[in-house]
Amino acid sequence: MVKADALLKVMARAWKLAPIDLDSTRVDFDLVRHWPGELYLEQNWVPVHDQSNGSVLVATARVPDAERASAIANVLESPVEFVAATSWDIRRTVLRGFRAEIDGDASTDRWRTNPSLSARVVLSKAQVTGGILGGLALLALAIAWPAALGAAVVTIAGAAYAGTTTFMLVLAVRGGTRRSAPPVAAQRQPDEVLPFYTVLVPVFRQAHAVPGMIASLSRLDYPVDRLEVLVLVEEEDRLTRDAIVRAEAPERFRIVSVPGGAPETRPRACNVGLFAARGEFLVVYGAEHEPAPDQLRRAIDTFAGGAADLVCVQASVDYSNAQRNTVTRLIALEQSAWAERVLPGIERSRLAVPAGGTSNHFRTTALIELGGWDPYNVSESVDLGIRASAVGYRVSPMDSITVERAAASVPALIRQRSRWLKGDLQTAFVHARQPVALIRRVGIARFLGTALLVVASPAVFLAVIPFYLLIAIALAVPGDVVATVVPAWALQAGIVLFVAGTIEMIVTAIGPVKQKVRGAATLCLLLPVYWILHSVAAYKALGQLFTRPHYWEKTDREPAPVLPATA
C-alpha cells in the first residue's frame, strides 16, 4: 500500500497544488466550526484559514476541478485557494476542531434527544415511586401475614424461575431442530466491487495487546484500499497510544483520540469512532479478538443475501484457551449452547436478537439512524438490538468465527459476568419505561418474548443463591420452625420448581455444538456450581447498578501468543 506522504506528493503534483501538513499548519478552528463537520467528512475538504488576499485556504483530498471549486466557494461565500491533503489528515483536523461537539454527541446525545431511552438515569421517577410503594406493601404484608407472604414469595419465585428456564429450553429446542448445513466458503467477489469497510477497535490500557491486535487484523482478507482500522484510544491512555506508534502499524491503521470525559465506556468510544468512520459497513472488534480472515467478505455476502431490514450480522465466538482449565471449559460449553441452540431459536421465534459486544457488522447508515450506542449502558449491544427491532430492523447471526481468550479465573469470570448482567438490568429498566409504545411497535408477543429474554439471565441467577440457601435451611432446620415463615407445602413447591428449572438449564446446555467441548457431559454436572459464580456476579451487578451504574468492569485475560501478520 502507498504510504500517506508519498500519496500526498503524487496528488499535489497531479493537481498542481502545494501539499500541506495540517498538523504543523495553523488552522483557524473558529472558521472550521462555522460549517458542519459532517459536510467536510462527506466531501473531503476543510477550510484552513483566511488569507491576506481575502480568499480562504482550503485543504482538499479530491481533485479541485471547476465544479468542486465553485461549490466550496459557494459554501464559504468567499474565493478559495486549494492545497492538497490526505483524507485522513482532513478527518483528523475535523476531529480536532469539533472535539467538544463530538464528545458531547458521543456522551449525551441520546440523553438530550430521548432521555427515556438512555441508561444515564437508572430508574425513572415513576419506577422509583413504584418501587417505594411496592416495598412498603411488602413490608406491611410481612408484618400482618408473614407466613402467607413467605408462601407467595417462594412459590412465585420458583414458578418464575421454572418458567424462565422453560422459555430458554424452548428456544434451544427450536434452534437445535434447525438443519445446519456444513459451512461453505463464501463466493469470492472481485476486490473492485467490494464496499469500503471500517473496523473500530476500542482499547483502554491494553498496550500489551497491541502487537496481537495489529497481527490479527492485518490478516483480514480485504483490499487494503477499501479498509480502514480506527483504533479508539482514550486521551489519557498514553501507554497504549505509544505502543501503537512504536509498532509501526500499516497505513490503514489509524489512531482516533477519544476525548477525556464520562462515562469512560466502550460505547462512548465507539460513538466517537462512528463519527470518524467512512465505511459503508462497519464492524467492532476487541483488541484481543482474532476474526476469521474472510469474515468481512462473509459479512458482505450475508448482507447481500438478506432483506433490506437486515442491519447487523454477528459472528460466533470461539475460545483459543477453552481447554485451559475447568472455568474456561465451562465458558466454552455455555457459549456453544448459546450460539448453536439458543440464538438460532431466538431468530426463528422472530424475537429481538441481542447483539453481542463485538464482531457485530453494521450497515453504517442504519447505525447512524439508530443513534449509535448508548454510552451509559454497559451491555450496549443488547440495548441496540432491541432498538433496532423496535423500528423494524433485524439482527442475525452469520457463519463466521472470531477467536478470543476466555476469562481463565473465577475473579475474572465474576467481573465479566457482573458487567453483562448489570447491562441486562439497565436495558430492562430502560425499555420498561414506555412499554405501551414498544408493544405498539413490535406487538405483544415479541414484546413479552424479548422482555423475558433480557430479564432471563439476571432473574435466574439472582434466584440461585437464595434457593440453595432455602434447600439448606429445609434440610438443617426443623420443619415446624420453618413453617412459621414458609408453610411446608410452599417450601416443597418452590424447591421442586427450582430443581425442575435447574434440570432444564442443564438440558439446554446439552446438544450438538460446533465448538467441540471436551467432556461436555461431565461439565454439565458442574453447571449448578458454575451458576453459583453467576449468582455472585448477579448480586454484584445489582449492587453496582445503584452505586456505580456506568462503571466499565474490564475482563482480565491471559495474553495470547502473537502469530505473524500478513500484508
Side-chain angles (χ1 to χ4, degrees):
M1 186 175 181
V2 180
K3 293 286 186 181
D5 54 352
L7 176 63
L8 178 59
K9 291 178 181 178
V10 171
M11 290 163 48
R13 190 180 305 116
W15 301 341
K16 298 180 180 179
L17 299 176
I20 188 171
D21 179 359
L22 290 172
D23 284 339
S24 59
T25 302
R26 179 184 66 84
V27 177
D28 184 350
F29 287 112
D30 288 333
L31 175 66
V32 170
R33 284 189 288 269
H34 270 83
W35 296 273
E38 292 83 357
L39 173 69
Y40 305 137
L41 296 178
E42 180 183 351
Q43 299 184 5
N44 241 341
W45 62 272
V46 67
V48 180
H49 54 69
D50 291 318
Q51 301 193 108
S52 58
N53 62 5
S55 67
V56 176
L57 188 66
V58 174
T60 179
R62 295 179 189 166
V63 58
D65 55 23
E67 182 181 356
R68 180 172 175 81
S70 175
I72 294 174
N74 287 337
V75 170
L76 299 179
E77 298 180 342
S78 170
V80 295
E81 290 185 14
F82 289 102
V83 287
T86 64
S87 292
W88 177 246
D89 278 350
I90 288 174
R91 276 194 290 164
R92 188 163 51 186
T93 300
V94 173
L95 289 171
R96 287 163 54 203
F98 289 89
R99 180 182 182 280
E101 291 83 355
I102 294 169
D103 179 36
D105 287 347
S107 301
T108 61
D109 184 61
R110 175 155 299 281
W111 165 252
R112 292 195 310 265
T113 57
N114 196 342
S116 66
L117 288 180
S118 169
R120 181 175 180 176
V121 172
V122 176
L123 296 174
S124 66
K125 291 181 180 179
Q127 288 171 326
V128 171
T129 301
I132 292 173
L133 293 177
L136 291 174
L138 287 175
L139 179 61
L141 290 172
I143 294 172
W145 301 287
L149 179 62
V153 169
V154 170
T155 52
I156 291 173
Y161 180 91
T164 302
T165 55
T166 300
F167 173 69
M168 299 300 290
L169 178 59
V170 169
L171 291 177
V173 170
R174 293 204 71 186
T177 56
R178 184 185 67 171
R179 290 185 179 180
S180 56
V184 295
Q187 183 179 357
R188 187 177 182 85
Q189 297 187 46
D191 288 357
E192 59 270 16
V193 304
L194 291 173
F196 199 89
Y197 225 112
T198 295
V199 176
L200 298 184
V201 189
V203 295
F204 185 55
R205 297 174 183 169
Q206 291 176 287
H208 65 280
V210 166
M213 174 194 72
I214 293 174
S216 64
L217 297 183
S218 294
R219 288 192 290 272
L220 288 172
D221 176 18
Y222 208 81
V224 295
D225 61 336
R226 295 170 184 264
L227 176 66
E228 65 177 1
V229 180
L230 303 184
V231 187
L232 313 175
V233 185
E234 296 289 337
E235 198 171 48
E236 67 184 71
D237 190 4
R238 295 185 179 277
L239 288 177
T240 304
R241 181 188 304 275
D242 292 346
I244 298 170
V245 172
R246 286 195 306 270
E248 297 183 348
E251 284 286 322
R252 59 187 176 277
F253 286 77
R254 304 290 189 179
I255 298 174
V256 174
S257 182
V258 179
E264 206 168 61
T265 59
R266 180 174 64 195
R268 176 174 173 268
C270 286
N271 282 338
V272 173
L274 180 59
F275 180 86
R278 63 189 182 105
E280 182 180 344
F281 293 89
L282 177 149
V283 62
V284 181
Y285 292 129
E288 297 167 330
H289 289 177
E290 301 174 29
D294 66 345
Q295 189 172 113
L296 303 190
R297 290 179 180 270
R298 282 183 176 264
I300 295 297
D301 290 339
T302 305
F303 279 117
D309 63 351
L310 181 61
V311 298
C312 174
V313 296
Q314 55 181 317
S316 298
V317 172
D318 196 6
Y319 297 107
S320 60
N321 64 336
Q323 302 304 322
R324 170 74 170 78
N325 55 34
T326 301
V327 171
T328 58
R329 284 195 288 272
L330 285 166
I331 291 173
L333 176 67
E334 180 185 35
Q335 170 60 25
S336 295
W338 171 260
E340 282 295 295
R341 308 193 72 194
V342 178
L343 195 57
I346 294 171
E347 186 182 25
R348 290 192 67 183
S349 302
R350 300 188 64 81
L351 301 178
V353 176
T358 53
S359 297
N360 293 318
H361 300 253
F362 296 94
R363 297 185 193 270
T364 307
T365 53
L367 182 57
I368 293 172
E369 177 191 337
L370 290 168
W373 296 269
D374 181 357
Y376 292 94
N377 192 317
V378 297
S379 283
E380 73 288 351
S381 294
V382 176
D383 166 72
L384 184 58
I386 294 176
R387 286 192 281 119
S389 177
V391 295
Y393 287 145
R394 286 192 306 115
V395 177
S396 177
M398 63 175 288
D399 183 18
S400 186
I401 296 292
T402 295
V403 176
E404 63 177 83
R405 296 181 72 79
S409 68
V410 169
L413 172 70
I414 291 175
R415 281 194 294 272
Q416 181 188 63
R417 299 310 162 97
S418 67
R419 175 171 60 81
W420 292 1
L421 292 167
K422 181 171 66 174
D424 287 342
L425 290 169
Q426 285 180 315
T427 302
F429 283 129
V430 164
H431 292 281
R433 292 171 186 168
Q434 296 180 334
V436 175
L438 190 56
I439 289 170
R440 286 173 179 167
R441 288 181 173 180
V442 303
I444 185 65
R446 291 187 71 193
F447 170 81
L448 292 175
T450 302
L452 191 55
L453 187 64
V454 172
V455 174
S457 291
V460 164
F461 292 130
L462 285 170
V464 168
I465 288 179
F467 270 105
Y468 280 7
L469 292 175
L470 200 62
I471 292 172
I473 290 171
L475 294 174
V477 178
D480 55 343
V481 176
V482 176
T484 60
V485 180
V486 181
W489 66 267
L491 180 64
Q492 293 167 3
I495 290 175
V496 167
L497 288 168
F498 173 74
V499 172
T502 301
I503 292 172
E504 287 181 325
M505 288 178 70
I506 293 174
V507 173
T508 300
I510 299 174
V513 293
K514 278 184 181 178
Q515 297 100 332
K516 302 300 181 183
V517 181
R518 190 173 65 194
T522 303
L523 284 173
C524 284
L525 300 178
L526 293 177
L527 286 175
V529 178
Y530 181 58
W531 293 327
I532 293 176
L533 303 180
H534 282 69
S535 191
V536 171
Y539 280 97
K540 179 181 179 181
L542 186 62
Q544 281 195 354
L545 184 66
F546 298 102
T547 58
R548 307 175 76 185
H550 312 125
Y551 173 64
W552 189 273
E553 191 101 50
K554 285 187 65 65
T555 303
D556 296 328
R557 293 186 174 93
E558 298 174 325
V562 179
L563 300 177
T566 57

